[in-house]
Amino acid sequence: MGIVEAKDLVFEYMKRDEEGNAEGFVRALDGINLSIKKGTIIAILGGNGSGKSTFAKHINAILYPGEGSVLVDGKDTRKPENLWDIRQEAGMVFQNPDNQIIGNVVEEDVGFGPENMGIPTAEIWERVNEALKAVGMYGYRKHSPNKLSGGQKQRVAIAGVMAMHPKCIIMDEPTAMLDPKGRKEVIRQMRALNDVEKITVILITHFMEEAIYADKIFVMDQGKIAMQGTPREIFSDVESLKKLRLDVPQCTYLAHVLSEEGFELPKGILTREEFIHEMVKHTGGRFYSGSLESVSEPKKPSDYTDPERNKRDLKESLILDHVNYLYEKGTSGEIRALNDISLRIGKGEFIGLIGHTGSGKSTLVQHLNGLLLPSSGHVYFKGEDIADKKFNKKDLRSKVGLVFQYPEHQLFEETVFKDVCFGPKNTGKSQKEAELAAFEALRAVGLPEEYYYTSPFELSGGQKRRAAIAGVLAMKPEILILDEPTAGLDPQGRDEILDLIKDLHEKQGITIVLVSHSMEDVANYVQRILVMDKGRIIMDGDTRHVFMRYKELEEIGLSAPVVTYLMHDLRDRGFDIDPHVTTIEEAKREIMRILSPGV
């Protein structure tokens, strides 16, 4: 018997209208049958709303079967007497760490679970320190969780479960808010727990590169198991995954698109090493014999912080001039979140803001629309200092819109339509003007009319983000700031949101500032990248120029897109190829360029 056994599992929930009246049942799980072997790593994939999280909550006995059964280490989740044992044996890490963190100090929160299990004090502290080191948060053990960024909170939540040493860990999108280094650390620790401690790991993820480490993958769709198999078996079927709103690892997809161009590579390539091996094998050793030092660097971008340029474009710009920001200024807990930031954001730019967890990104963007004011230095909008007492901050916040990490934090009205109307009405628009602005914004984000008059809290993750963006768009902003807008979304939902943002930039001329931990998303969409580290901007340039400095990015917890590393691998193996590539399409063109006709 496996550690988790689901048999004919059915779960339904009641759907209600905006007035709370029952509208009928929705079947979230529809006859799930699966067995998870002890000591394995399992990945569960699926689009938003496919039933992944609902199933995970059954393993942890947060939800109970409507029909069928779930056994955890032989214990029936429906029996109350099994509840305590099941929740010790099957630890759960949720998407949103705020739902899981309860302590006032990081180390106390991580020690809460072991303490409740009756673990001796000395061993509790050993487990706490071990878990915090594993997720890179040992240096924050004395901090208050409330002062941490979203990604840092997630690391603490993961450490809290790790410290309980469960037989099975269920991770529901645990790395969605983490920087690249943090994701690697968590996956490395996950594999170590599995390899050394023989802990069963059930990973729900939208990062396909994480799923390749699984022993087996289950793909869910509409409450059913749509596909199951090894990573190679699953990722060999690219077209079926696309139909299920999913994608595949970048190496896998590059091999797939090259095959479509007539260059035959085997299906299901999962890693850079496998891709290189196949390229060497299928090119018959046709390598470049000249100097590998002859590749020119991408042209350096203009200096975005040039003082003369700032003077010329002052009336069209958002400018930060030597901005510093201190949390808890003048106290023993003082933290310098921003350190001498100077930059200019020009009209019509599409900017990506990247940095490791806790680098200051969220603090910075909250300065752009006056939610925070500098401890020292100045922020100028169209030539005016936003800290000036005469400055109209309400006008600033209508012109510089901010969509937060968690859209549910800014959705609060009874219906989506009322929520989107709130901003325009709050800036003095009439009811009719506000409604017209709301209709226009909701159409712009592509939210179907059937959702206009439902509660925003009944929407899916992607729909909530559309509603949140619509609420900001209704204010007619000139600058739109999005803080991790695609975190937790399935690949299709991610692409839809990013394509929407791209359209707003191209068709309406809105300046975009996109905060993201996905280097692939940044590479595919933005024109200019700002890189933050320890409250400073340490790089500012076009996409290719920034990602060619991938070794420096790695030193601060970031990375380049997977395909960029792949191109450098090919170059190192002697291929006459430009390594300064950041997207699949660029990589395909570059590889096809070096292949002889008919290959």
Side-chain angles (χ1 to χ4, degrees):
M1 177 182 287
I3 192 167
V4 176
E5 297 279 346
K7 184 175 182 181
D8 301 324
L9 173 61
V10 173
F11 181 79
E12 297 178 325
Y13 64 87
M14 179 67 74
K15 184 178 182 182
R16 300 183 182 276
D17 62 22
E18 60 185 284
E19 296 177 353
N21 299 315
E23 289 188 324
F25 287 97
V26 175
R27 183 161 288 202
L29 298 178
D30 190 5
I32 299 290
N33 286 285
L34 61 79
S35 177
I36 295 175
K37 186 179 178 182
K38 287 183 180 181
T40 58
I41 297 177
I42 300 297
I44 301 180
L45 310 180
N48 290 115
S50 63
K52 305 184 304 298
S53 294
T54 302
F55 176 64
K57 290 174 183 175
H58 277 77
I59 301 173
N60 192 241
I62 294 171
L63 297 176
Y64 306 102
E67 298 175 23
S69 63
V70 177
L71 302 181
V72 177
D73 204 20
K75 301 176 184 69
D76 192 329
T77 62
R78 291 172 299 186
K79 294 183 177 179
E81 63 268 25
N82 292 335
L83 185 62
W84 177 250
D85 288 339
I86 287 171
R87 290 188 179 166
Q88 285 188 66
E89 293 173 0
M92 182 91 173
V93 179
F94 296 95
Q95 274 186 351
N96 187 343
D98 289 330
N99 297 339
Q100 193 158 357
I101 293 176
I102 58 173
N104 294 320
V105 179
V106 165
E107 63 182 6
E108 291 177 1
D109 188 89
V110 176
F112 180 81
E115 184 178 16
N116 276 275
M117 294 166 61
I119 303 299
T121 301
E123 185 179 343
I124 289 174
W125 290 117
E126 285 180 12
R127 291 189 183 195
V128 167
N129 292 337
E130 174 189 80
L132 286 171
K133 287 176 182 177
V135 299
M137 290 297 292
Y138 183 74
Y140 293 84
R141 64 192 183 281
K142 301 293 184 182
H143 287 228
S144 166
N146 293 330
K147 302 298 181 183
L148 302 179
S149 69
Q152 289 171 320
K153 288 179 183 178
Q154 186 63 288
R155 295 191 197 198
V156 173
I158 293 169
V161 173
M162 287 181 172
M164 295 172 69
H165 289 191
K167 293 181 180 178
C168 174
I169 293 181
I170 308 126
M171 296 183 165
D172 190 358
E173 291 286 346
T175 63
M177 299 303 300
L178 299 186
D179 56 48
K181 182 180 180 182
R183 287 204 297 270
K184 289 178 181 177
E185 287 173 348
V186 169
I187 297 302
R188 187 184 304 117
Q189 183 63 23
M190 174 193 80
R191 296 175 70 189
L193 286 169
N194 174 258
D195 185 51
V196 178
E197 306 290 339
K198 306 305 178 185
I199 292 174
T200 305
V201 178
I202 300 171
L203 175 68
I204 298 172
T205 183
H206 286 138
F207 290 105
M208 300 301 128
E209 271 78 10
E210 294 178 354
I212 68 174
Y213 297 110
D215 297 300
K216 189 172 185 179
I217 295 175
F218 292 97
V219 182
M220 294 188 66
D221 182 50
Q222 298 181 348
K224 297 176 181 288
I225 302 294
M227 302 171 68
Q228 58 180 294
T230 66
R232 199 175 308 282
E233 289 168 344
I234 295 296
F235 290 131
S236 291
D237 195 349
V238 175
E239 297 306 323
S240 292
L241 289 170
K242 291 291 182 183
K243 290 176 183 176
L244 296 172
R245 298 171 58 92
L246 301 176
D247 57 14
V248 296
Q250 282 209 315
C251 292
T252 310
Y253 193 60
L254 180 56
H256 175 74
V257 297
L258 286 169
S259 294
E260 290 185 327
E261 294 290 338
F263 181 61
E264 300 224 351
L265 288 170
K267 293 182 178 182
I269 288 176
L270 299 178
T271 66
R272 287 158 49 192
E273 292 77 13
E274 290 178 1
F275 188 96
I276 299 302
H277 173 78
E278 293 298 332
M279 279 289 292
V280 171
K281 176 181 174 183
H282 286 277
T283 54
R286 293 189 296 278
F287 301 141
Y288 180 63
S289 58
S291 171
L292 297 184
E293 304 300 321
S294 61
V295 178
S296 61
E297 292 186 358
K299 185 179 179 182
K300 290 187 178 182
S302 56
D303 185 356
Y304 291 107
T305 56
D306 176 68
E308 292 303 315
R309 180 177 179 180
N310 286 344
K311 290 178 183 177
R312 290 194 302 271
D313 297 335
L314 189 62
K315 295 297 182 182
E316 300 290 345
S317 300
L318 183 59
I319 295 174
L320 279 71
D321 180 25
H322 297 287
V323 168
N324 294 277
Y325 187 77
L326 304 174
Y327 285 108
E328 299 185 24
K329 186 177 180 180
T331 72
S332 60
E334 180 177 291
I335 299 172
R336 183 176 293 273
L338 297 182
N339 191 350
D340 197 30
I341 298 283
S342 292
L343 69 94
R344 168 194 169 275
I345 297 173
K347 183 178 180 181
E349 289 195 275
F350 197 138
I351 297 172
L353 178 59
I354 64 176
H356 60 81
T357 302
S359 62
K361 303 185 300 299
S362 294
T363 302
L364 175 62
V365 298
Q366 289 180 68
H367 278 74
L368 302 184
N369 75 342
L371 285 178
L372 296 176
L373 295 175
S375 301
S376 63
H378 304 275
V379 178
Y380 298 100
F381 181 63
K382 295 188 175 182
E384 297 183 64
D385 191 330
I386 70 170
D388 194 306
K389 291 182 179 179
K390 296 179 181 179
F391 184 81
N392 187 339
K393 289 188 177 62
K394 185 179 283 188
D395 182 61
L396 170 69
R397 288 166 190 160
S398 69
K399 295 292 189 293
V400 183
L402 175 59
V403 179
F404 294 99
Q405 282 184 355
Y406 301 109
E408 53 268 32
H409 289 179
Q410 66 191 94
L411 299 171
F412 59 91
E413 282 282 13
E414 295 175 353
T415 69
V416 170
F417 190 72
K418 285 184 180 179
D419 203 283
V420 178
C421 284
F422 179 84
K425 286 176 67 177
N426 200 42
T427 57
K429 301 287 186 184
S430 68
Q431 181 67 29
K432 184 176 181 179
E433 289 172 327
E435 289 180 357
L436 287 172
F439 275 120
E440 184 180 337
L442 286 165
R443 282 196 295 268
V445 301
L447 191 68
E449 289 188 22
E450 63 191 271
Y451 297 111
Y452 288 11
Y453 301 103
T454 60
S455 167
F457 302 106
E458 292 184 6
L459 302 179
S460 69
Q463 291 165 344
K464 283 179 181 176
R465 282 167 174 78
R466 288 177 184 270
I469 293 171
V472 174
L473 285 182
M475 309 271 285
K476 307 290 185 184
E478 297 174 11
I479 300 174
L480 181 60
I481 306 160
L482 302 110
D483 194 354
E484 295 285 354
T486 64
L489 295 186
D490 60 45
Q492 183 175 319
R494 172 202 68 204
D495 292 345
E496 288 172 353
I497 290 295
L498 291 172
D499 287 343
L500 163 63
I501 295 166
K502 181 181 178 182
D503 280 349
L504 294 172
H505 172 253
E506 293 179 349
K507 295 177 181 178
Q508 297 188 27
I510 297 175
T511 302
I512 302 292
V513 179
L514 173 68
V515 182
S516 180
H517 280 140
S518 171
M519 302 301 106
E520 287 73 24
D521 290 350
V522 169
N524 284 329
Y525 288 90
V526 314
Q527 301 161 341
R528 170 189 174 193
I529 299 177
L530 304 173
V531 183
M532 290 195 71
D533 179 43
K534 298 177 181 176
R536 293 179 178 271
I537 291 178
I538 63 167
M539 297 186 204
D540 182 352
D542 64 42
T543 307
R544 284 166 64 88
H545 187 75
V546 169
F547 283 136
M548 68 173 283
R549 299 168 66 181
Y550 65 94
K551 291 184 179 178
E552 294 171 64
L553 292 174
E554 288 173 350
E555 291 174 359
I556 60 167
L558 300 177
S559 65
V562 172
V563 72
T564 302
Y565 289 102
L566 186 59
M567 300 301 278
H568 278 277
D569 291 342
L570 288 171
R571 185 73 185 178
D572 291 343
R573 289 299 300 267
F575 286 87
D576 176 19
I577 207 162
D578 180 1
H580 306 133
V581 162
T582 61
T583 69
I584 291 288
E585 186 58 32
E586 290 174 349
K588 184 187 83 170
R589 288 198 302 266
E590 189 63 16
I591 290 174
M592 293 303 295
R593 180 187 63 78
I594 67 169
L595 298 177
S596 59
V599 174

